[in-house]
Amino acid sequence: MSSAATERKINKWRLWGVNKFLEVNTALSPKQERNGEPPTLGLVRSLYHEDEKEATELLQEARSSLKEMDMTWVIFGACEFLNEYPLRTSKENGSVLLKHSDVFRTFGKKASQGTKLYTKAGEAYLRFRKIRDLNTLPMPLFAKDYLPAGWMEYTSYRSSVSQRLESKTGASLPMFDILMFTSFDLFERVNAETIEPTKPIPIVSRTLFELIKRTSYTDYNASEQGWSDSKKLDEMKDEDMRYLIVRLKGGRSPAPEKQWSENLELDSSIIGFLSFMITEEEEENVAYIYEIHISEHFRDCGLGRHLFSLVEHIGRATGMDKTMLTIFTCNTHARRWYDSRVYEVDEISPRPRKLRGGRSIEPEYEILSKRLQEHANKKTKS
Ligand SMILES: CC(C)(COP(=O)(O)OP(=O)(O)OC[C@H]1O[C@@H](n2cnc3c(N)ncnc32)[C@H](O)[C@@H]1OP(=O)(O)O)[C@@H](O)C(=O)NCCC(=O)NCCS
């Protein structure tokens, strides 16, 4: 889920929590209730920088999806609100300051349960803010802080690899540029053009899409989910997706027989890429690798390894707990390659399913990961 969608979900339940808490614990005018107006609208400024329209929408959304209510954020919202706005109730002997324990009681939780939920939410909120701040950082600042400048070019100085590269590119010093883009950079024009769906996707994103389709179409099609152009494009367009694109230096095109596609409308100087997202997975912050594809003529030259080193560096520099990826079990070549990059089966990876006769069915895909931070290892096996 993108940071913006996660933030919306958190805010929906935070706001609903404040609203419900005030509804139960403070005097409300019956008129407001009749009109269905949120009683806290005047107070939402503290949470939404005066955006009352968004608050109203969120409250309506929450009301229509109460079955999915996330109590952690409900309690967090009400407690945070109380921290900022001490409120009094004047029910019995004069006015009494409302406390966190009143929040817990309102939502049917014992003090110990409520405190646990509030602490958990506080930790999750800090984790989330870190992700959101990284994902909203303008690209030049992100690059300055987290991209190792010297790594944005690639030339192998190992003579055997250099020779191979020379034969593949026909240049005496084959070099590659690694360029970083956000999905916004790649798809901005598509979004502006969605009114007319027949318009072509801009050339770079179209090239990446075709490269994925070329190497993964068969694996997807053999799986339960199948291949869908539109689903893949939606995933590629996720606003938090980032792309590390390998291009022959200077935008040079490889010799025609080394080009992976005969489609002249594609950018043939692009010979591979990795896409990743800074996100959260099971209460840990991760750099999730979505795609890695090197065109067949340029494999085994260290480019995949270089892209992985780069994303792992970004992961460490941004304080992510680990890098993760998903792979179809049938892709044995890539699976062995990930082994060589020291990726292990993650604890959330689906397990083989045991049938009654003792036979077991292997999952269609696996989730692999590599821990990046020595210390943030509450889940590391000893
Ligand atoms: C998997 C893939 C990204 C690897 O990229 P690459 O650029 O060819 O790999 P590299 O040249 O960087 O490999 C470097 C190292 O891995 C080793 N290696 C290469 N292929 C290997 C394999 N199948 N198994 C084990 N080791 C392998 C190389 O010997 C080299 O070892 P070294 O670091 O000790 O010198 C590439 O093959 C590819 O794009 N495959 C098709 C797309 C795909 O399946 N993507 C994964 C989707 S989940």
Side-chain angles (χ1 to χ4, degrees), residues 9 17 30 36 41 58 63 82 95 116 141 150 157-158 187 228 271 283 320 330 333 342 357 362 369:
K9 192 194 93 181
L41 224 46
L58 287 176
R63 287 208 180 96
L82 272 192
S95 71
K116 224 187 225 170
L141 294 181
Y157 292 103
R158 277 158 67 183
F187 289 98
S228 152
I271 54 120
E283 299 178 18
M320 296 297 107
C330 59
H333 176 273
V342 206
E362 290 300 317
S369 64

Side-chain angles (χ1 to χ4, degrees), residues 15 37-60:
L15 184 57
E37 281 171 20
T40 58
L41 224 46
L43 296 171
V44 293
R45 289 183 187 93
S46 69
L47 290 175
Y48 298 99
H49 309 283
E50 308 208 1
D51 194 344
E52 294 189 6
K53 188 170 165 279
E54 191 193 343
T56 312
E57 276 170 22
L58 287 176
L59 266 175
Q60 272 159 5

Side-chain angles (χ1 to χ4, degrees), residues 270-288:
I270 294 177
I271 54 120
F273 80 100
L274 178 152
S275 63
F276 72 98
M277 194 194 287
I278 292 202
T279 185
E280 191 221 35
E281 203 61 55
E282 296 291 319
E283 299 178 18
E284 290 197 284
N285 283 359
V286 304
Y288 210 112

Side-chain angles (χ1 to χ4, degrees), residues 168-180:
K168 283 169 191 282
T169 60
S172 57
L173 186 59
M175 270 191 141
F176 301 91
D177 285 317
I178 320 281
L179 307 153
M180 182 155 169

Side-chain angles (χ1 to χ4, degrees), residues 154 158 161 164 215-216 219 290-295 298-306 308 325-328 331-341:
Y154 178 75
R158 277 158 67 183
V161 174
R164 231 180 306 146
T215 48
S216 293
D219 291 349
Y290 273 74
E291 308 282 352
I292 176 158
H293 301 273
I294 304 295
S295 79
F298 293 89
R299 287 185 195 153
D300 286 330
C301 297
L303 281 163
R305 184 183 47 193
H306 186 72
F308 259 52
L325 56 93
T326 307
I327 179 175
F328 283 119
N331 190 349
T332 49
H333 176 273
R335 180 65 171 85
R336 277 199 303 277
W337 189 80
Y338 291 142
D339 274 347
S340 78
R341 308 305 352 129

Side-chain angles (χ1 to χ4, degrees), residues 5-100:
T6 307
E7 183 160 34
R8 195 173 167 78
K9 192 194 93 181
I10 293 175
N11 283 345
K12 177 169 90 174
W13 297 119
R14 269 168 89 198
L15 184 57
W16 191 84
V18 179
N19 196 61
K20 191 76 192 162
F21 177 71
L22 294 180
E23 216 175 86
V24 172
N25 293 281
T26 58
L28 256 180
S29 88
K31 180 172 165 285
Q32 276 179 315
E33 273 186 315
R34 253 204 320 276
N35 292 346
E37 281 171 20
T40 58
L41 224 46
L43 296 171
V44 293
R45 289 183 187 93
S46 69
L47 290 175
Y48 298 99
H49 309 283
E50 308 208 1
D51 194 344
E52 294 189 6
K53 188 170 165 279
E54 191 193 343
T56 312
E57 276 170 22
L58 287 176
L59 266 175
Q60 272 159 5
E61 247 179 60
R63 287 208 180 96
S64 59
S65 57
L66 285 179
K67 276 196 191 137
E68 298 150 28
M69 189 199 306
D70 189 330
M71 196 49 87
T72 335
W73 296 121
V74 166
I75 288 193
F76 182 70
C79 287
E80 286 292 279
F81 192 82
L82 272 192
N83 293 348
E84 218 168 309
Y85 290 89
L87 285 175
R88 292 175 175 278
T89 176
S90 51
K91 273 183 189 158
E92 285 145 33
N93 320 317
S95 71
V96 184
L97 212 53
L98 287 165
K99 299 188 294 292
H100 285 178

